[in-house]
Amino acid sequence: MARIFSGIQPTGQKHLGNFIGAITRYVEWQDRGEGIYCIVDLHATTVAYEPKVLRSGLYDLAALMLAAGLDPERAIFFRQSDVPEHAELQWLLTSVTAYGELQRMTQFKDKSAKQELVSAGLFTYPVLMAADVLAYRADTVPVGDDQRQHVELMRNVAERFNARFSEQLVVPEGVYPEIGARIMDLSDPGSKMSTTGSTEKGTVYVLDEPKTILKKFKSAVTDSDNEVRYAPADKPGVSNLLEILAVARGTSVAALEGEFTRYGDLKAAVGEAVVDYLAPVRERYADLRADEAQLEQTLGAGAEKARAIASEVVADVRDAMGVGPVRARV
Ligand code: AMP
Ligand code: TRP
């Protein structure tokens, strides 16, 4: 049985890209194997942030994920900082991570350009991400396209550890959605929808009001040749709309291409489909978000299950590295 791990940051309002590229897939995958899903609050401390906003953002995201259908009875759902083994394993893994490898990370280059203080944490962010996954010997990592380089790095780290010390770690595989791995900004379809970089008009938030969603799609940027055809390189705006519609309706892009002759009809159809697609989440969200004590309890129970796994793996790693006393075997 597959062991699936993914992490998501408790920062900013979650948008349609996060929802399609990550959250809905956690929900789908929770039946395909043993799912372990983590809200990575330690990763969120690597750039400038406000402690109060971080905490409330964590509850926002926990409620959103539960509203989307993540079931804490079927999957392990927890907060990263509740399991200290993640931070410990990060340190241990820095010894098999190359400095040059971290310097090549494009996300580090992008994010550091925007920071007044470029923290050492931002630089070692991918090692913490590797630790998140490797601490569970997970084999499958569902993420969006922008995480490919980080997944490649964790594979290298695991392989290097196994070769240098002993075969303790599982080398994980990234899995990316066939459609929707890279949802683009509706107003600027050359760049991806993102928490910090994309335009307000072109970013659809999961909890946007239906009329806001319709408006954002109505003003989506397309092109001037008036042909509804899927061609991401030549027609990024139209192709993005077709992908979003395919996901929201649960169909394929090919099935949709013949349906529309006018861009206006396509935009209206995508807007309506997305409103319907997100409606159940909106309906469930408020009640879940209102009860922080319940959210804490859910996360706490998840952390206990997570820790039972991670503490064993980290003990094996320490032992293999000669750190601490020889591990007693039972
Ligand atoms: P983050 O909010 O940066 O923690 O991202 C959470 C998840 O959403 C990761 O798996 C990302 O790969 C995914 N993601 C972020 N932006 C997009 C996007 N525009 N399209 C598809 N997936 C995305
Ligand atoms: N870096 C990921 C992102 O920005 C979040 C993340 C942290 C993650 N740890 C992870 C994703 C482990 C997958 C597995 O989206």
Side-chain angles (χ1 to χ4, degrees):
M1 195 165 72
R3 184 176 275 175
I4 303 147
F5 186 101
S6 198
I8 182 162
Q9 297 198 64
T11 41
Q13 278 196 65
K14 292 295 150 181
H15 53 73
L16 197 56
N18 300 131
F19 194 72
I20 292 174
I23 299 171
T24 52
R25 305 180 63 239
Y26 304 169
V27 176
E28 278 168 33
W29 282 70
Q30 68 190 345
D31 293 320
R32 296 199 195 166
E34 191 185 349
I36 308 177
Y37 300 108
C38 179
I39 301 185
V40 294
D41 56 346
L42 296 175
H43 277 107
T45 65
T46 58
V47 292
Y49 77 100
E50 278 306 320
K52 275 200 186 111
V53 177
L54 176 59
R55 262 210 197 96
S56 67
L58 188 126
Y59 294 131
D60 294 347
L61 180 57
L64 190 74
M65 291 170 76
L66 295 170
L70 196 75
D71 177 359
E73 299 296 319
R74 278 187 287 166
I76 299 179
F77 177 45
F78 72 109
R79 169 172 49 206
Q80 186 184 36
S81 61
D82 286 340
V83 180
E85 281 78 5
H86 290 233
E88 180 181 355
L89 185 58
Q90 175 192 24
W91 178 256
L92 296 170
L93 294 177
T94 53
S95 69
V96 283
T97 308
Y99 179 76
E101 210 166 26
L102 292 176
Q103 274 182 316
R104 285 194 293 276
M105 294 289 121
T106 55
Q107 192 165 299
F108 171 69
K109 290 185 212 168
D110 293 347
K111 286 193 180 177
S112 58
K114 294 178 198 146
Q115 296 297 312
E116 204 171 307
L117 175 93
V118 178
S119 70
L122 188 61
F123 188 64
T124 56
Y125 176 116
V127 193
L128 180 58
M129 179 164 163
D132 292 340
V133 175
L134 302 180
Y136 298 89
R137 298 195 170 109
D139 44 48
T140 306
V141 185
V143 277
D145 227 30
D146 59 349
Q147 298 301 313
R148 279 181 194 269
Q149 206 185 18
H150 288 158
V151 172
E152 217 33 61
L153 179 100
M154 70 176 73
R155 292 172 52 85
N156 291 339
V157 166
E159 276 166 8
R160 212 173 286 134
F161 183 97
N162 289 344
R164 166 73 178 85
F165 298 109
S166 62
E167 286 279 333
Q168 296 299 334
L169 301 174
V170 169
V171 181
E173 298 270 352
V175 285
Y176 310 90
E178 270 170 41
I179 48 172
R182 200 174 162 77
I183 299 295
M184 308 308 273
D185 184 332
L186 302 185
S187 300
D188 174 19
S191 34
K192 68 169 185 175
M193 200 177 277
S194 80
T195 313
T196 47
S198 57
T199 66
E200 187 61 28
K201 252 177 71 182
T203 306
V204 176
Y205 298 104
V206 178
L207 298 174
D208 268 348
E209 298 279 343
K211 63 172 191 305
T212 309
I213 296 178
L214 294 174
K215 203 165 112 197
K216 285 177 177 172
F217 278 102
K218 206 170 160 194
S219 60
V221 167
T222 47
D223 52 49
S224 54
D225 70 1
N226 265 311
E227 193 191 350
V228 177
R229 179 167 58 88
Y230 184 73
D234 300 339
K235 298 169 70 68
V238 172
S239 304
N240 190 41
L241 292 173
L242 285 169
E243 283 203 30
I244 295 171
L245 183 58
V247 172
R249 285 206 194 153
T251 179
S252 69
V253 168
L256 294 170
E257 274 177 310
E259 189 179 328
F260 302 96
T261 46
R262 292 179 23 212
Y263 286 170
D265 297 341
L266 172 65
K267 291 192 218 175
V270 189
E272 280 157 29
V274 169
V275 168
D276 290 346
Y277 178 60
L278 297 176
V281 185
R282 264 178 71 81
E283 278 160 27
R284 289 193 284 256
Y285 177 77
D287 284 347
L288 289 159
R289 178 62 184 85
D291 194 348
E292 290 184 359
Q294 179 59 50
L295 292 172
E296 276 298 340
Q297 208 195 324
T298 302
L299 292 170
E304 236 172 81
K305 293 186 224 164
R307 199 165 185 195
I309 303 171
S311 60
E312 288 296 314
V313 177
V314 174
D316 285 341
V317 166
R318 241 188 256 128
D319 191 48
M321 291 178 74
V323 170
V326 174
R327 187 166 193 219
R329 303 264 163 207
V330 274

